[in-house]
Amino acid sequence: MDTNLGSLEACKSPCNDIITTPTSNGTVSTIQKSPSTQSLASSESTLGSHLARRLVEVGITDIFTVPGDFNLTLLDHLIAEPKLKNIGCCNELNAGYAADGYARSRGVGACVVTFTVGGLSVINAIAGAYSENLPVICIVGGPNSNDFGTNRILHHTIGLPDFSQELRCFQTVTCYQAVVNNLEDAHEMIDTAISTALKESKPVYISISCNLASIPHPTFSREPVPFSLSPKLSNPMGLEAAVEAAAEVLNKAVKPVLVAGPKLRVAKACEAFIELADKSAYPYSVMPSAKGLIPEDHKHFIGTFWGAVSTAFCAEIVESADAYLFAGPIFNDYSSVGYSLLLKKEKAIIVQPDRVVIGNGPTFGCVLMKDFLSALAKRLKRNNTAYENYFRIFVPEGLPVKSEPREPLRVNVLFQHIQNMLSSETAVIAETGDSWFNCQKLKLPKGCGYEFQMQYGSIGWSVGATLGYAQAVPEKRVIACIGDGSFQVTAQDVSTMLRCGQKTIIFLINNGGYTIEVEIHDGPYNVIKNWNYTGLVDAIHNGQGHCWTTKVFCEEELVEAIETATGPKKDCLCFIEVIVHKDDTSKELLEWGSRVSSANSRPPNPQ
């Protein structure tokens, strides 16, 4: 097997050159080509320049930053690296969201903030990246090394001489923490932190004392040995036993199905999943948070499995199957629609990144998902019964009712037109809210990217994530679907998109409130102050950069806006404010909201 640095999953295109070297056990380890940094590997090499080289080496070419007095010197040394670009963000939360979006495409991301006031601002975004298994390197400019162990009180703290508050906060949302306050072990701590982020596919925290970044040290004076992570290996006996047990169950089944889950990404098993689908002829669906990880143009793809709010006829096929294999699932109250999935444990084979559970029977540990799926594909008999059942009952969804001339725009009409915009040269970012459900129904063409944050579900995530994702793949045009409530949380970094010359199309869906919350539990707190959103973006634009805005009320205006955004303004950031009725939601949100509300309002169990 191989270990890809700077690439979260096998199904995403690599963004950086890699070289492969055979290891002693016959496996292949991939190593990022080291950048040409001969000029830096000299007496001028410092802790800051070493960190910069390491970031470039693992595939990072953009860092998302907010300056503060503790990180200024570090930033000087990071941006001195010619292959590393500084993307200054408006606030730390958006910098973290941008690193999250960047990591989804590039495989790893990084943000740089200042001590405590910056760290505690970015921590919500880091927690979201942790929940989504994304390797984000959060770098903090820390206090002067001489201040550690003293009884001094520093600014940007809570007024106590104990500087560990920020570290203690990050310990729960990162898989490794490095506080670099001396040069002797700085090299080892930085390398360990970055390696751990890549191996665990989780965020890490690196704090670097503000007076150390510019100091040369012998450990940085030579070109560092390129990263080469030891590949994870399956236990051969465990793998064989797991495959044999799973094949016995599936080969006896009459109408087995496959379901792809979000942990396919961290397991780098997307291609192996498709290999299994091809050889078995089973139909496959995706859990909502796995949309975009596997192709939807495959002949046996049957849609999104999301219980009562699945795409048409998908849930009926999955839940009626006599065996189902879930690859990398996450079952929570959102993905299970308030714990209402009609699944039976004894029928399920659950494949996690490093273990396999067969129904109510045995669990096999030390078995990597990628190896298991590939080996299982060779042991299954072809069986397309479930797909034939799907094909018999399937009726394509109808088109929205034709709009009357100048009729107020409906959301289903909007997404019909967004569907027609998609191609291999686009990517969709769906904000938390009704866009979750409307975007799930989009049929992604081959090569079209797709991302949303389901496990953490932080409103406002999409603005920063759009910035980061678009920066990582400038060859794609990002289409972001954002509600007005979410946009109000993080709107400022449209400014950064303009500074970076991005050409994203933002559909701002203005329905006057937090609609997803309304459908769970309504109240006056879900109504927000209406903004002139196009006017706001025009003010942010301020004549600097390429930007075009418009406001649409009906289908005719929407068609004209899309023609302009994809034609004369194709090289601009295009902001299209879509005015819709406050109660115009997808039927899926209505169903999902009522079920989640029911789950939230369960009475306490009697003691």
Side-chain angles (χ1 to χ4, degrees):
M1 65 175 293
D2 54 38
T3 303
N4 291 304
L5 300 188
S7 177
L8 277 178
E9 50 177 314
C11 58
K12 299 276 184 171
S13 300
C15 298
N16 301 281
D17 294 332
I18 53 176
I19 54 176
T20 59
T21 56
T23 59
S24 58
N25 62 4
T27 62
V28 174
S29 176
T30 59
I31 303 171
Q32 200 74 41
K33 277 187 180 176
S34 182
S36 178
T37 50
Q38 205 167 25
S39 60
L40 286 174
S42 66
S43 60
E44 297 303 312
S45 291
T46 62
L47 189 160
S49 62
H50 172 77
L51 176 59
R53 290 200 302 268
R54 281 308 200 204
L55 295 177
V56 170
E57 189 178 37
V58 298
I60 294 172
T61 55
D62 306 87
I63 52 171
F64 301 92
T65 70
V66 178
D69 61 324
F70 284 127
N71 70 12
L72 298 177
T73 303
L74 175 61
L75 288 174
D76 286 340
H77 286 266
L78 293 177
I79 65 177
E81 163 57 53
K83 294 191 176 183
L84 201 58
K85 184 176 181 180
N86 178 65
I87 309 295
C89 296
C90 297
N91 59 53
E92 291 86 0
L93 178 62
N94 276 339
Y97 286 154
D100 170 313
Y102 192 91
R104 288 167 183 267
S105 176
R106 190 65 68 90
V108 60
C111 56
V112 186
V113 299
T114 197
F115 184 59
T116 307
V117 290
L120 299 190
S121 290
V122 78
I123 199 167
N124 184 57
I126 300 303
Y130 189 97
S131 77
E132 301 274 323
N133 299 299
L134 298 168
V136 171
I137 301 166
C138 181
I139 302 164
V140 175
N144 187 291
S145 62
N146 296 303
D147 290 325
F148 285 88
T150 68
N151 202 36
R152 294 170 179 158
I153 294 176
L154 294 181
H155 69 288
H156 289 344
T157 70
I158 59 173
L160 298 176
D162 177 6
F163 305 153
S164 68
Q165 182 202 20
E166 179 184 79
L167 170 64
R168 286 183 279 119
C169 291
F170 272 95
Q171 283 173 335
T172 59
V173 295
T174 56
C175 67
Y176 184 85
Q177 307 82 37
V179 178
V180 181
N181 55 21
N182 71 84
L183 290 172
E184 297 302 321
D185 56 359
H187 186 290
E188 178 185 357
M189 295 179 76
I190 288 171
D191 284 6
T192 302
I194 295 174
S195 298
T196 304
L198 295 169
K199 287 188 291 187
E200 300 297 325
S201 201
K202 294 281 190 183
V204 294
Y205 164 87
I206 303 175
S207 172
I208 296 179
S209 290
C210 60
N211 61 323
L212 299 185
S214 61
I215 302 176
H217 191 268
T219 57
F220 309 129
S221 62
R222 295 187 61 179
E223 177 74 12
V225 175
F227 269 107
S228 179
L229 302 182
S230 299
K232 293 181 179 179
L233 300 173
S234 294
N235 179 304
M237 293 180 65
L239 174 61
E240 174 59 27
V243 169
E244 183 176 347
E248 183 178 2
V249 171
L250 293 170
N251 284 331
K252 287 180 179 178
V254 176
K255 43 184 181 179
V257 298
L258 306 175
V259 183
K263 290 185 181 178
L264 278 172
R265 186 202 299 266
V266 65
K268 302 178 176 67
C270 299
E271 289 182 358
F273 182 88
I274 294 302
E275 178 187 358
L276 178 61
D278 284 337
K279 292 187 177 179
S280 68
Y282 298 175
Y284 73 81
S285 64
V286 296
M287 298 184 76
S289 49
K291 186 177 177 70
L293 295 183
I294 56 176
E296 298 186 3
D297 59 345
H298 193 285
K299 64 180 180 179
H300 283 173
F301 176 71
I302 62 172
T304 297
F305 174 64
W306 201 353
V309 295
S310 300
T311 51
F313 305 100
C314 180
E316 291 81 357
I317 295 300
V318 173
E319 293 178 342
S320 67
D322 54 348
Y324 17 74
L325 183 149
F326 281 81
I330 294 178
F331 295 108
N332 60 24
D333 52 338
Y334 275 14
S335 66
S336 67
V337 199
Y339 313 112
S340 65
L341 300 181
L342 301 179
L343 300 174
K344 294 184 178 179
K345 187 177 179 182
E346 62 268 20
K347 294 182 179 181
I349 297 172
I350 306 297
V351 188
Q352 295 294 6
D354 57 1
R355 73 182 188 278
V356 178
V357 182
I358 310 291
N360 289 324
T363 296
F364 301 91
C366 298
V367 175
L368 299 185
M369 183 191 298
K370 183 178 179 181
D371 296 344
F372 173 79
L373 297 179
S374 291
L376 182 61
K378 299 175 177 65
R379 300 281 287 274
L380 294 184
K381 302 172 185 175
R382 288 182 67 82
N383 183 345
N384 66 350
T385 302
Y387 179 74
E388 288 180 346
N389 289 346
Y390 170 80
F391 187 76
R392 286 188 199 98
I393 67 173
F394 179 75
V395 178
E397 287 197 51
L399 297 175
V401 176
K402 185 172 177 58
S403 300
E404 296 295 328
R406 312 304 294 181
E407 176 189 341
L409 186 62
R410 301 191 307 273
V411 171
N412 54 19
V413 173
L414 165 65
F415 279 90
Q416 178 191 5
H417 288 281
I418 291 176
Q419 174 69 72
N420 295 333
M421 298 172 67
L422 303 185
S423 71
S424 61
E425 298 177 351
T426 61
V428 176
I429 303 290
E431 175 58 83
T432 301
D434 199 22
S435 290
W436 273 6
F437 303 92
N438 287 303
C439 289
Q440 277 294 327
K441 292 183 284 188
L442 296 172
K443 190 69 179 291
L444 302 180
K446 185 176 182 178
C448 181
Y450 184 92
E451 296 292 346
F452 80 127
Q453 187 196 60
M454 186 174 186
Q455 172 61 38
Y456 203 58
S458 184
I459 67 167
W461 162 86
S462 65
V463 176
T466 295
L467 164 65
Y469 191 97
Q471 193 64 25
V473 280
E475 68 276 11
K476 286 187 182 289
R477 194 163 197 196
V478 176
I479 299 170
C481 301
I482 308 176
D484 51 339
S486 298
F487 187 73
Q488 287 195 7
V489 179
T490 49
Q492 305 96 309
D493 271 285
V494 169
S495 169
T496 312
M497 298 177 195
L498 289 168
R499 289 176 64 190
C500 294
Q502 294 182 358
K503 54 186 180 180
T504 294
I505 300 174
I506 296 175
F507 287 99
L508 189 285
I509 303 169
N510 185 351
N511 56 11
Y514 296 125
T515 303
I516 191 169
E517 313 293 2
V518 168
E519 302 309 332
I520 296 174
H521 183 95
D522 201 4
Y525 30 75
N526 290 325
V527 179
I528 61 176
K529 171 71 173 68
N530 193 36
W531 293 359
N532 179 356
Y533 294 97
T534 53
L536 173 69
V537 173
D538 286 336
I540 291 172
H541 174 214
N542 198 26
Q544 298 176 328
H546 299 290
C547 181
W548 177 75
T549 67
T550 190
K551 190 176 299 191
V552 302
F553 296 86
C554 61
E555 185 176 13
E556 292 90 337
E557 293 173 348
L558 174 66
V559 169
E560 185 178 342
I562 291 174
E563 288 176 350
T564 302
T566 55
K569 301 297 183 181
K570 68 181 187 302
D571 294 322
C572 293
L573 186 145
C574 295
F575 185 90
I576 302 173
E577 182 182 352
V578 181
I579 310 298
V580 296
H581 192 278
K582 68 181 182 65
D583 295 325
D584 185 359
T585 67
S586 64
K587 68 181 183 65
E588 290 81 8
L589 174 56
L590 297 176
E591 174 77 22
W592 179 89
S594 63
R595 289 175 181 263
V596 170
S597 175
S598 177
N600 287 352
S601 59
R602 287 167 296 161
N605 291 324
Q607 299 300 313

